Amino acid sequence: MNKITIRDSRLDGLFAKISNLIEQARKRVATTVNVAEVYTKYYIGQYIVEEEQQGENRAEYGKSILKGLSTQLTLKYGKGWGVENLRLIRNFYLVYSKQKIQNGVLEIENKKEQQRCPDLSLPDANGQIAEPTFVLSWSHYLVLMRIENPDARSFYEIECAQQQWSVRQLSRQVGSSLYERLALSRDRNEVMRLAKEGQTIEKPTDIIKNPITLEFLGLKPDSSYSETKLENAIINKMQTFLLELGKGFLFEARQKRFTFDEQHFYVDLVFYNRLLQCYVLIDLKADKLSHQDLGQMQMYVNYYDRHVKQDFEKPTIGILLCERKNDALVELTLPKDANIYASAYQLYLPDKTLLQAKVKEWIEEFNDINAESEESN
């Protein structure tokens, strides 16, 4: 009986190992198939564009090419090769040949501009044939290619790959203007890093964004609601709320109680950020921020730093999530080295056009300052 038990135990262990291996292999195969589809469509787009350049009347010639090609591909391969899909494939190549590769020049007559286009027969500086790098699915790139700002597009592509966002999550982040909100919450120098590195988490201010967008809670902006109702709505949508908070957040507790001087105090939401290695305390305010709110959060942070935080962990961060924040009040109430931040929240998606204009103005000011500095030197 013991031999059978041992044998069964070993069999279960072997089964678990092999099962895990099969699951990983299937994921890799699925990823490989998805990426292969993207590369295939990229090069199909290249062939279409190269053929279009040979026609005298490019616009009319292009329409004729897409229509004839669609007919032949559909006859041989079935659905999925309509004119509109071929147009998307063509546009995908135009967008990503400009973004990723620096060889060759492609002239687009309609836009009267120059776009960078790869000549895959030309080697790069290391003698290798230049190729684009794709790591996401075609469905992801259908979302990304609609983003006009190349810096924003690059940011979302990096974040999507690193955070393994689904297509739905990517669409939500683009729709909520994550890039613009992060850019406007950062120093000018750090804005330039977003397109190259994505969201880097190195210090407390890296997790702050203004505003926090909570449209997914389903609360109406023009209706009255209590802080308890706001908290309950967040708890019910915690997975999406964690996505909105950003990288490295782990949820620990709600209404976390601690006792001091025989009084009980409650922190609305307690998180831990594994990248910063510190606790993040969030207090919800359904109205405008007051100096009493700031003083209370300072006490919460002090308590965690002195009685909860371990020696290897970084200082606790406090965030007051309020409907209306007042930067002047925060600056006046708290010391300069306080690890406490106020962040406004919105129950609706922000005005993307307005945010894009602000980011553009922000970057232009940054470039002007740099140009003046170089001239003076």
Side-chain angles (χ1 to χ4, degrees):
M1 191 72 174
N2 289 338
K3 289 183 179 180
I4 294 175
T5 302
I6 293 172
R7 192 172 299 157
D8 289 345
S9 177
R10 289 176 177 173
L11 181 60
D12 289 343
L14 179 61
F15 170 78
K17 290 179 181 179
I18 294 176
S19 177
N20 183 53
L21 189 63
I22 292 172
E23 292 297 328
Q24 290 181 4
R26 285 180 174 176
K27 288 180 181 179
R28 284 197 294 270
V29 168
T31 300
T32 301
V33 170
N34 286 335
V35 173
E37 178 188 10
V38 175
Y39 275 98
T40 300
K41 289 182 174 176
Y42 177 86
Y43 291 119
I44 290 173
Q46 180 190 14
Y47 293 155
I48 291 172
V49 170
E50 288 176 346
E51 180 61 32
E52 285 177 344
Q53 304 312 301
Q54 299 179 23
E56 291 182 5
N57 187 329
R58 294 179 185 176
E60 291 303 318
Y61 186 68
K63 290 179 182 178
S64 175
I65 285 292
L66 292 182
K67 187 175 181 180
L69 186 60
S70 171
T71 300
Q72 292 188 34
L73 289 173
T74 301
L75 284 173
K76 185 167 184 178
Y77 298 106
K79 295 181 180 179
W81 300 102
V83 172
E84 182 58 33
N85 281 346
L86 290 178
R87 189 173 289 114
L88 286 172
I89 290 170
R90 174 188 180 278
N91 290 342
F92 173 63
Y93 170 75
L94 292 176
V95 168
Y96 275 87
S97 61
K98 179 178 180 180
Q99 177 170 315
K100 292 178 175 296
I101 301 180
Q102 301 302 317
N103 294 333
V105 175
L106 172 67
E107 181 180 347
I108 302 177
E109 187 176 68
N110 292 337
K111 293 187 178 180
K112 294 184 179 180
E113 65 179 12
Q114 298 290 317
Q115 271 194 320
R116 309 304 295 180
C117 171
D119 178 354
L120 298 181
S121 63
L122 296 177
D124 61 17
N126 298 318
Q128 302 295 318
I129 299 300
E131 281 194 351
T133 301
F134 300 117
V135 295
L136 303 172
S137 73
W138 174 244
S139 296
H140 285 96
Y141 286 108
L142 285 176
V143 176
L144 291 169
M145 63 189 284
R146 293 197 296 267
I147 302 172
E148 294 184 5
N149 182 347
D151 289 338
R153 189 189 314 122
S154 176
F155 164 80
Y156 286 115
E157 186 175 4
I158 292 170
E159 286 296 301
C160 191
Q162 290 181 350
Q163 304 304 308
Q164 297 184 331
W165 289 341
S166 65
V167 176
R168 182 177 180 180
Q169 289 173 328
L170 171 61
S171 297
R172 192 265 164 186
Q173 296 291 47
V174 173
S176 70
S177 305
L178 176 62
Y179 170 77
E180 288 80 10
R181 289 185 291 132
L182 285 174
L184 293 172
S185 302
R186 274 156 175 67
D187 177 84
R188 286 182 174 87
N189 292 315
E190 293 180 348
V191 171
M192 312 311 291
R193 294 180 61 185
L194 288 174
K196 297 178 180 179
E197 304 175 23
Q199 184 184 8
T200 54
I201 306 295
E202 298 171 348
K203 56 187 181 299
T205 52
D206 290 337
I207 65 173
I208 303 299
K209 60 174 72 76
N210 277 303
I212 293 283
T213 303
L214 304 179
E215 90 293 344
F216 55 87
L217 298 182
L219 298 176
K220 295 181 179 180
D222 55 352
S223 63
S224 61
Y225 53 88
S226 65
E227 290 166 4
T228 300
K229 185 175 182 179
L230 178 62
E231 180 183 322
N232 287 335
I234 289 174
I235 294 298
N236 291 335
K237 299 282 187 178
M238 181 54 69
Q239 184 176 359
T240 311
F241 185 65
L242 287 171
L243 177 68
E244 171 63 14
L245 287 180
K247 293 180 178 178
F249 277 93
L250 305 172
F251 177 57
E252 180 171 298
R254 67 181 296 192
Q255 291 299 311
K256 181 73 172 181
R257 189 182 80 171
F258 67 89
T259 303
F260 176 74
D261 197 22
E262 299 183 355
Q263 293 187 63
H264 299 312
F265 299 93
Y266 299 86
V267 185
D268 288 342
L269 300 170
V270 178
F271 296 87
Y272 191 85
N273 190 285
R274 60 182 180 81
L275 300 178
L276 293 176
Q277 289 190 305
C278 68
Y279 284 98
V280 180
L281 312 180
I282 295 181
D283 235 14
L284 305 173
K285 301 299 172 185
D287 203 346
K288 67 179 181 179
L289 190 64
S290 70
H291 68 276
Q292 291 93 339
D293 297 329
L294 293 165
Q296 181 175 266
M297 177 56 79
Q298 181 72 75
M299 181 187 66
Y300 292 168
V301 167
N302 289 344
Y303 179 86
Y304 262 75
D305 279 343
R306 296 170 189 175
H307 301 288
V308 180
K309 180 180 79 69
Q310 299 188 55
D311 292 339
F312 70 88
E313 293 175 322
K314 303 292 176 57
T316 304
I317 298 172
I319 298 177
L320 288 141
L321 199 55
C322 46
E323 187 176 21
R324 287 172 286 169
K325 76 185 188 85
N326 187 325
D327 292 327
L329 180 65
V330 175
E331 185 177 344
L332 184 63
T333 304
L334 298 174
K336 291 184 178 180
D337 59 349
N339 217 15
I340 296 173
Y341 306 90
S343 186
Y345 67 84
Q346 291 182 173
L347 298 176
Y348 52 90
L349 292 176
D351 186 329
K352 183 179 285 290
T353 303
L354 178 61
L355 290 181
Q356 288 174 341
K358 287 183 178 179
V359 172
K360 183 179 179 181
E361 181 182 351
W362 185 259
I363 293 176
E364 286 176 350
E365 288 179 8
F366 171 79
N367 292 335
D368 290 342
I369 292 172
N370 276 355
E372 290 175 4
S373 177
E374 290 176 0
E375 289 178 2
S376 63
N377 292 333

